[in-house]
Amino acid sequence: MAGIKRKQPEVAGAYVKRASKKSKVEPKKAKKARKAARPPTPPSDISELEAETDSDPTLESDTTEHSGDDDGVSWPSDNEEDAAPTKNGGVKLPSVKKKSKEQDGGVKLPIGQAKQTGKGGIPVDGAKVASNPTPSREAHAKQKVVAQERKAAKPNADSIARAKKLWERLRIQSKVPKEERRTLVAELFEIITGRVKDFVLKHDSGRVIQTAIKYGSQEQKKMIARELKGEYRTLAESRYAKFMIGKLLVHGDEEIRDLVIPEFYGHVRRMIKHPEAAWILDDVYRGAATPKQKAILLREWYGAEFAIFRAKTEDGATSDLKTILEENPGKRAPIMRSLFELINQLVQKKTIAFTMLHDAMLQYYLNVVPGSEEAVEFVELLKGDEEGDLLKNLAFTKAGARLVCLAFAYSNAKDRKLLLKTYKNTMQTLAYDAHGHQVLLAAYEVIDDTVLTAKSIFSEFPTKDAKLDPNDEQADLLTYITHITARIPILYLFVTNPRSLLSADDIALLKEIRSVRTTTSKKDPEIRRKELARALAPSLLSYITTHVTELIQTPFGCQFISEVLLSAEGDKTSALEAVANLTQASADIQASLETPAASRMLKTLALGGRFNQKTKLIDLVEPPLKFNDLLYENIKGDIVAWMMGPNAFVIVGLLESANFSYGEELKATARKHIKKLQKAADGGVAVVEAEGETDKVREAGRKGTKLLLGMIDS
């Protein structure tokens, strides 16, 4: 059309260029001047503009005022359309569509209510802001309805929902009456019978099955076990269903156990590397499997052959690797390689807490030649864990503790120091553990540097030089002394008869360690023991002096006093006086001295040594304790009551002891009260008058009194 100037492509490009970041920025002063010169818009115009934009968001541009040029052509919009002629001969192009307030994150206001904002876009007081047409509460309600509809569409939704309602009631163990629980369990089994597989793999309904196993009868438990037959390996690999296997084995019987465990045969190597199945497999191996089942499971670590051809070896199967290698010497290399590779994989993955792994590691180490490449490589594997987690985990299982003890015995001085350093800040935990304390005993037995041993171990025991938290209950030495296991590392260095302190397993392990140390340690064992005891003795003697009242309350405390005072080196005067002064203490303390353990302690100290079962004599300690004289001086005023009471055997010990200074005086006193002693020996109740008070002496002392009468007559 003549006279029409159309928009050229380059013009649009120029517009974009001016709008880009590289376009020339208008100076601030000019911008402010232009704003000041602009006439203010009356509020009514603003209202009209709001109404116009809300009713018709596509506004036409005035070609003469808003184009920026005088050529009668308006700028094109973003979505270009065909131009149309106007009445004045110009061209009307589609205008730029104004962006609505909803699109740019604003709020659309009703007509006549402009959004008033202050500096920074903050609403000014009095401005009216439209409320959210859909409150969050309604939105959450809609989401909940959608979730419920989604659950209802799943298979067995109604059954699972009802079973969960029953489970909610059943799991409150202390508040459900017995009859009601029986009714709820019966209803629950009506729901799950025949559909256990559908329930067990889900995180919520799986707990329903666990509760059914817990409260169901043995027949109901067997029903669940039979229904899941053939699926136990799959369940073990499930994040939730694996717990159901544990419940079945804990609450089930031998029949259920024999249904579950055989399904793991042939899959041990895969399961032990699985992140979920490994834990339930180890739990089954440690706590539920019989020795035969444990042997079959462990044999699969030795190679694929033991998993594939297991049917031929189940009867009389053994997991002792030494026996297997003796029967098949030609297979040693592949068996040892397969075992080490699986051990190494688990160690590198940091899955090192499994009892099955510790048993396998012990079998490997027992069958390598000391000093060989295999042995060195295995010890490097133990030391390679920078955090020491492997060695720390090993110390708390039976096989792992034995492995660590043998590693101490076979290693050189440098490696022993490194192994001991790994257990820093763990000595207290080791002392209290049934297997961990063996690691401390092994360190006592083989490390020649006794200064290092004492500094590393004794500094963490609650001795007077140790820096421990006073709020920690293990920070008190009394808790060690009275604990059946923790007392072993304390008393071991002072006892002469280990059988009075150690278990049969401890004694067997120490025998094995001592046979190895003959070739790996240089220091004489007795010198090593005395040096360690000398480092620990001052703290123990000081503790006896200050806490003797608490110690005599328990048999372990009385044994501690006897062993330390007989074997420790150093000044024992204060400790012996503290024990003797108990005879002058309150009535409650004196009653504690009448217990069999306290009486035995006093007699042992009075004799001045330990009784030798072989020679039937007393092995006196050097230098002599002289506790007999000290004790007699404290009980001289009540000597007759002691002769007829529960501690009559202590008086017998005084007369039997060597170098007793008051033997004749004691016999003379006994002869003066011969009738009272004879009455007590015959079983009558003896009455002793002392300072106007009448005390009744218990019949329990008559056996000792009878023995005492025989010594007086001789």
Side-chain angles (χ1 to χ4, degrees), residues 233-247:
R233 183 174 65 85
T234 304
L235 297 178
E237 296 175 355
S238 169
R239 183 178 180 182
Y240 306 109
K242 64 179 181 181
F243 299 109
M244 189 276 305
I245 297 178
K247 283 283 185 181

Side-chain angles (χ1 to χ4, degrees), residues 343-371:
I343 291 172
N344 188 45
Q345 288 177 17
L346 296 179
V347 171
Q348 299 306 324
K349 289 172 61 178
K350 298 292 184 180
T351 52
I352 51 181
F354 299 138
T355 302
M356 184 180 280
L357 171 64
H358 300 175
D359 287 355
M361 294 178 73
L362 177 63
Q363 290 296 325
Y364 183 88
Y365 194 61
L366 289 175
N367 288 278
V368 297
V369 179

Side-chain angles (χ1 to χ4, degrees), residues 408-409 411-420 446-447 520-521:
F408 267 107
S411 298
N412 55 36
K414 182 178 178 181
D415 287 344
R416 287 171 179 167
K417 181 178 180 180
L418 185 60
L419 292 174
L420 186 61
V446 301
I447 298 178
T520 58
S521 298

Side-chain angles (χ1 to χ4, degrees), residues 295-367:
I296 296 172
L297 293 172
L298 188 59
R299 282 170 63 92
E300 295 190 26
W301 287 63
Y302 305 154
E305 173 186 351
F306 295 91
I308 297 173
F309 302 106
R310 56 184 170 80
K312 299 179 180 179
T313 59
E314 284 186 13
D315 295 333
T318 177
S319 60
D320 183 21
L321 186 56
K322 182 178 180 180
T323 303
I324 294 174
L325 295 179
E326 288 176 352
E327 295 175 355
N328 304 280
K331 297 180 180 179
R332 184 184 188 281
I335 289 175
M336 296 294 283
R337 182 172 60 253
S338 176
L339 179 56
F340 183 79
E341 287 176 355
L342 184 53
I343 291 172
N344 188 45
Q345 288 177 17
L346 296 179
V347 171
Q348 299 306 324
K349 289 172 61 178
K350 298 292 184 180
T351 52
I352 51 181
F354 299 138
T355 302
M356 184 180 280
L357 171 64
H358 300 175
D359 287 355
M361 294 178 73
L362 177 63
Q363 290 296 325
Y364 183 88
Y365 194 61
L366 289 175
N367 288 278

Side-chain angles (χ1 to χ4, degrees), residues 350-631:
K350 298 292 184 180
T351 52
I352 51 181
F354 299 138
T355 302
M356 184 180 280
L357 171 64
H358 300 175
D359 287 355
M361 294 178 73
L362 177 63
Q363 290 296 325
Y364 183 88
Y365 194 61
L366 289 175
N367 288 278
V368 297
V369 179
S372 65
E373 183 179 350
E374 289 178 332
V376 173
E377 185 180 15
F378 189 79
V379 173
E380 289 300 321
L381 180 67
L382 295 178
K383 299 187 302 180
D385 186 5
E386 296 180 357
E387 293 81 9
D389 292 337
L390 176 58
L391 284 169
K392 291 176 182 177
N393 277 277
L394 284 168
F396 297 101
T397 62
K398 183 177 180 179
R402 184 184 175 193
L403 171 61
V404 175
C405 291
L406 292 176
F408 267 107
Y410 281 110
S411 298
N412 55 36
K414 182 178 178 181
D415 287 344
R416 287 171 179 167
K417 181 178 180 180
L418 185 60
L419 292 174
L420 186 61
K421 185 179 179 181
T422 303
Y423 293 103
K424 185 178 180 180
N425 299 325
T426 318
M427 303 301 176
Q428 287 192 14
T429 310
L430 291 174
Y432 277 87
D433 188 73
H435 306 296
H437 74 275
Q438 296 175 345
V439 176
L440 300 179
L441 300 185
Y444 292 165
E445 290 289 334
V446 301
I447 298 178
D448 292 336
D449 188 353
T450 54
V451 175
L452 171 66
T453 306
K455 183 178 179 181
S456 301
I457 299 177
F458 299 158
S459 62
E460 296 188 27
F461 286 172
T463 56
K464 66 177 183 179
D465 299 325
K467 298 179 180 179
L468 302 175
D469 182 5
N471 297 322
D472 185 2
E473 63 177 9
Q474 295 182 356
D476 187 1
L477 187 59
L478 185 63
T479 60
Y480 276 72
I481 296 168
T482 56
H483 192 275
I484 191 171
T485 303
R487 67 194 183 104
I488 295 176
I490 300 288
L491 280 180
Y492 176 72
L493 299 170
F494 299 95
V495 297
T496 56
N497 180 21
R499 295 185 183 277
S500 64
L501 185 67
L502 304 177
S503 65
D505 290 339
D506 291 344
I507 293 173
L509 180 58
L510 288 174
K511 184 178 180 180
E512 186 177 12
I513 293 172
R514 289 168 180 170
S515 65
V516 175
R517 77 177 178 189
T518 56
T519 58
T520 58
S521 298
K522 299 178 181 179
K523 185 172 287 188
D524 181 79
E526 185 62 20
I527 294 176
R528 183 189 298 107
R529 185 194 67 81
K530 288 183 176 180
E531 289 177 352
L532 291 173
R534 192 179 301 122
L536 189 58
S539 297
L540 302 186
L541 291 172
S542 175
Y543 191 83
I544 292 174
T545 304
T546 56
H547 295 79
V548 65
T549 304
E550 293 89 346
L551 290 172
I552 65 167
Q553 305 299 324
T554 62
F556 287 163
C558 294
Q559 182 188 12
F560 171 79
I561 293 174
S562 301
E563 299 293 352
V564 172
L565 289 178
L566 289 176
S567 300
E569 297 182 11
D571 186 7
K572 309 174 188 176
T573 305
S574 298
L576 291 170
E577 290 178 351
V579 176
N581 291 338
L582 291 175
T583 60
Q584 303 296 324
S586 64
D588 293 339
I589 301 301
Q590 293 190 36
S592 299
L593 289 175
E594 295 179 354
T595 61
S599 180
R600 187 163 50 249
M601 173 198 72
L602 292 174
K603 182 181 179 182
T604 301
L605 295 177
L607 289 171
R610 300 179 179 89
F611 181 75
N612 191 320
Q613 292 288 348
K614 295 181 179 179
T615 61
K616 305 299 181 181
L617 298 174
I618 302 298
D619 294 333
L620 299 176
V621 299
E622 292 294 336
L625 292 180
K626 297 183 179 180
F627 181 75
N628 46 11
D629 292 347
L630 189 61
L631 178 63

Side-chain angles (χ1 to χ4, degrees), residues 96-156:
V96 179
K97 187 175 183 180
K98 186 174 181 179
K99 195 173 185 180
S100 67
K101 291 179 172 44
E102 289 83 3
Q103 291 174 339
D104 63 1
V107 180
K108 183 176 179 180
L109 300 178
I111 298 175
Q113 293 184 5
K115 186 177 179 181
Q116 301 176 17
T117 57
K119 187 175 180 180
I122 302 174
V124 180
D125 293 342
K128 298 181 180 179
V129 181
S131 60
N132 188 357
T134 306
S136 59
R137 185 180 302 174
E138 297 179 8
H140 288 313
K142 291 181 179 179
Q143 292 175 357
K144 190 173 182 179
V145 171
V146 172
Q148 291 175 349
E149 291 175 352
R150 189 181 300 116
K151 286 184 179 180
K154 293 182 178 179
N156 301 314

